[in-house]
Amino acid sequence: MQFESEHLLPGQIGHFFVLLAFVASIISTIAYFIAARKTDLAEKKSWLSFARIAFSTQLISAAIIFITIFYICANHYFEYLYAYKHASKELEPKYLLACIWEGQEGSFLLWAIWHSILGIFIIFRSKEWEAPVMTVLSFAQFFLLMMLLGLYVGDVRLGSNPFVLTRNEIAGPIFSRPDYLNFIKDGVGLNVLLRNYWMVIHPPVLFLGFAATIIPFAYAYAGIQTKRFGDWVAPALPWALFCACVLGVGIMMGGKWAYESLSFGGYWAWDPVENASLVPWLILVAGLHTMVIFKATGHSLKASYLFVFLTFIFILYSTFLTRTGVLGDTSVHAFTDAGKAINVMILLFVAAFTLPSIAMLIANLKKMPSIQKEESTNSREFWMFIGSLVFFLAAIFIIAKTSIPVYNKILGTKIAQPEDVEFSYNKVIVLVAIIIGLLSAVTQYFKYKKTEPGYILKKIAVPTLVAAGFTALVAIFYPLTYYKMGAGFLGAVYIALFASIYAVIANGAYIWSGLNGKLKAAGGSIAHLGFALMIAGILLSSSNKNVISSSSANGINLQISGKDPLTKQTDNPLENLTLIRQVPAAMGPYEVTYLKDSLGHEKGRRFYELLFQRRDAATKKITEKFTLKPDVYIMKDNNMSSNPDTKTYLTKDVFTFISYAIDDSKREDTAQFVIKEMAEGDTAFYSNGIVILNKVVKNPVNEKYTFSAADAALMADITLISKDSMHYKAMPLIKVDGEAVSQVDDTVYAQNMYVKFAGVTEGRKIKLGIKESDKLIQYITLKAYVFPYINLVWLGLIIMALGIVMSAVKRAKLTAFYAALALIVSAAGLFYMFLLAN
């Protein structure tokens, strides 16, 4: 059968390059593997040239695959299943990229592209390390590109081809017709939770971090393969710093997306997918500190191998967790089960890197150089190792709890998460924050190998006293109010706050005194300062987060509540403020009015315009005014997904989201206008009260209308008094423009009433039309938080990332030009991210 209007060429081109990239990855892996074992320089050079050609081929192929998928989605070629599942005609152009990495295939492709780009840097800069390092990287490409094959071996399909046709994958009677595309009006489209600009930039940054972790892993493998057990640390350390920066920023970009797009009221909820990306970062940070120890003292080489191997292994394990469906409904982020074949391939991917690397490490432990003398407890390296160990143990704790669904599936058990999942993590991590904060403050003042007695006390005395004083001031003038977990936990939070403040002050003091203000050498201290500032912001914003939306403000409680999809906690209906359209309500220090709503570009999306006003307590004059526009996607059966909106101040955020809204736009209003003839001062009745015509105003000039003396307009000044003695104003109008007569109706939303100036009688009475709508009163319920000092979180992240970049540039020994360029580009990127975030 010849199908009509199909565009088959892009898919054929895309699939050809999938096959070419896959074959090229096999060739480059074999060629690099052989080159790494050749001792003859001419043969080695020949194999390297061959491997580089193959690797460049798969890089170009991967780029063409990406461009082809984008082209198919952008042109809405719904004959392709990938475009049908992830794109739609209503989608804004900026979200077309997000369509690509929303799916399994696109995210694997993004990962492979980053590997390819990083591989080019390795080829140009790694010199004698190129062959063994690129062997590992090319081998990873083999697995990633295999995920895109979609070829059958017997009855088993290897991978999932992003260029399969919809008619071959979905059963339906329309697909037996040659004109089936006429019946596919639109695609399913991007998940509504992902329609946020952070999802355009967060996944690429996060996947760059994921991809970059293979490079320290590959250098560690190369160190064992070449028997140069300690030489790999120096070239790998700048890459480890690069990974820590990019992966850390990528994770927190996800937090910013959650903060702006999800309605659980925060930026971190210990969701399994969040945890799965955090764990490798924690182990990586532990590893880069042990690598620094080895470079300085010769200690901790074996720990460096272990941490670097485990970082990439846990990246692969996180892939298993998030892509095989094993997490079930424990995470809103995870992909659904992609099928048994893909799951087996992912397990093989994990096993292919985990088993050989751990086996190689164990087999070569005794061959690795080590210093027999133990580190002195009075040395920098000892306390750095303790800090690394704390990071590692924290990571193991998090991944052990996150993996409960895996235990249940393997062992057939039914272990359940605790009722308060967040607290089960927080009560342990707060102790980690205390230890890391104290170590970050004190450790840098120690010297490597040995520190003279009394030296440390002398150096840290002033920062300790200043931090203690500052914490005391916070406790007195801005006390933490997180009481719900008891005094013990609140005390631990105070200690953690002290530790983070201590780390900020001590690192600042160390830059000033210990390094004499030399910023070039201060990358580590700046990174520690930023990390501590971020932790302080997390503690302050989380402990003193305050719900300011209360149903007691206007006495309307609709008992609307539900379970949050991330925190699994039941929402308190008393913390939701019901707003009737154009009726002001008190909310904390603000008066909030639901002004109007409007449709967005996407189907089912509706924006709600909320006016916030703050008045002077004495004069009642408005001192501040701003508008927020949270929006919702109202779907079938009135299910909804809410996107918050935030007012950002220097010291706080006002975070709002719609907790309930209904779409009654399709419901027909059958009520009719009832005409009442009234003179000035007359009263008429309606079902819930009386209507008073105060006066008729010619060519009115007020907050609603502006007419001149030459116009011909009449406005009825009306007061409605309801049975509960509430007063409402209405100002319907009639005007003559040439020969045309037009009417401007007014709406009293609180009474669900429409008022029309219908005309004037011969007896000079006013014809007033009154319609009491049988639709529901327009209302929404709103939830609002105040997050104090949350900007410390984002500022701390930027400072930490900048410090890590400075350290990486210094460790990489770049020329002054490239160092300056790297810092400028990094600073510009971080500043751009900060602007987007705010």
Side-chain angles (χ1 to χ4, degrees), residues 1-11 71-72 75-80 89 165-167 177-185:
M1 183 186 297
Q2 185 70 33
F3 292 96
E4 299 174 5
S5 304
E6 286 187 331
H7 305 82
L8 300 181
L9 183 60
Y71 176 79
I72 287 171
N75 286 279
H76 307 121
Y77 291 163
F78 297 132
E79 56 266 42
Y80 293 98
K89 294 176 181 178
L165 297 174
T166 307
R167 58 180 163 84
R177 300 173 57 110
D179 61 344
Y180 77 91
L181 281 174
N182 292 333
F183 298 91
I184 302 178
K185 302 301 182 183

Side-chain angles (χ1 to χ4, degrees), residues 454-502:
Y455 176 82
I456 292 297
L457 186 60
K458 179 181 176 182
K459 289 291 184 181
I460 67 171
V462 173
T464 305
L465 292 173
V466 172
F470 195 91
T471 307
L473 290 174
V474 171
I476 295 168
F477 295 105
Y478 191 71
L480 304 182
T481 57
Y482 194 78
Y483 301 121
K484 70 176 183 178
M485 293 306 169
F489 184 73
L490 182 61
V493 173
Y494 266 114
I495 298 170
L497 181 61
F498 163 75
S500 59
I501 293 171
Y502 188 21

Side-chain angles (χ1 to χ4, degrees), residues 91-363:
L91 204 62
E92 294 180 55
K94 65 183 178 182
Y95 295 135
L96 285 171
L97 286 172
C99 288
I100 299 177
W101 42 75
E102 181 191 30
Q104 292 257 30
E105 302 90 337
S107 57
F108 278 126
L109 176 62
L110 179 62
W111 192 349
I113 288 173
W114 279 130
H115 269 177
S116 301
I117 293 171
L118 293 171
I120 296 299
F121 282 93
I122 293 295
I123 289 171
F124 280 103
R125 286 192 57 85
S126 62
K127 299 177 182 177
E128 73 272 18
W129 294 100
E130 178 188 345
V133 169
M134 290 299 294
T135 299
V136 176
L137 203 150
S138 297
F139 189 45
Q141 291 293 82
F142 161 76
F143 280 99
L144 291 171
L145 292 166
M146 183 168 61
M147 303 293 179
L148 307 181
L149 281 180
L151 296 179
Y152 280 90
V153 178
D155 294 330
V156 178
R157 186 166 73 175
L158 295 179
S160 178
N161 179 8
F163 302 104
V164 294
L165 297 174
T166 307
R167 58 180 163 84
N168 293 336
E169 300 297 316
I170 299 178
I174 66 167
F175 297 114
S176 62
R177 300 173 57 110
D179 61 344
Y180 77 91
L181 281 174
N182 292 333
F183 298 91
I184 302 178
K185 302 301 182 183
D186 203 355
V188 175
L190 189 66
N191 186 314
V192 296
L193 292 176
L194 305 183
R195 298 182 188 188
N196 180 280
Y197 62 90
W198 282 107
M199 291 312 294
V200 180
I201 56 178
H202 156 58
V205 174
L206 188 65
F207 273 94
L208 175 57
F210 285 170
T213 59
I214 199 174
I215 297 180
F217 178 99
Y219 270 107
Y221 158 82
I224 294 177
Q225 190 262 316
T226 60
K227 306 303 179 185
R228 298 167 62 185
F229 293 108
D231 294 349
W232 65 275
V233 172
L237 184 53
W239 284 107
L241 288 161
F242 173 79
C243 296
C245 176
V246 176
L247 186 56
V249 169
I251 291 168
M252 289 308 293
M253 278 183 171
K256 187 66 175 174
W257 161 70
Y259 182 63
E260 292 192 4
S261 285
L262 301 179
S263 58
F264 69 92
Y267 40 83
W268 196 265
W270 295 111
D271 179 86
V273 173
E274 296 172 345
N275 298 348
S277 59
L278 176 64
V279 165
W281 185 81
L282 292 172
I283 298 175
L284 175 63
V285 171
L288 70 84
H289 281 86
T290 56
M291 291 164 74
V292 170
I293 292 171
F294 175 75
K295 278 207 69 183
T297 67
H299 287 289
S300 299
L301 178 61
K302 295 173 184 176
S304 297
Y305 269 106
L306 178 64
F307 293 151
V308 165
F309 279 155
L310 287 180
T311 296
F312 187 63
I313 288 169
F314 275 108
I315 289 288
L316 298 181
Y317 180 64
S318 73
T319 302
F320 165 76
L321 284 179
T322 58
R323 294 173 184 271
T324 59
V326 70
L327 292 177
D329 61 356
T330 62
S331 172
V332 296
H333 299 343
F335 291 94
T336 55
D337 191 343
K340 186 176 180 180
I342 289 285
N343 293 352
V344 170
M345 290 167 65
I346 292 173
L347 277 173
L348 287 174
F349 191 9
V350 177
F353 282 83
T354 302
L355 300 179
S357 61
I358 297 301
M360 288 175 66
L361 177 60
I362 294 172

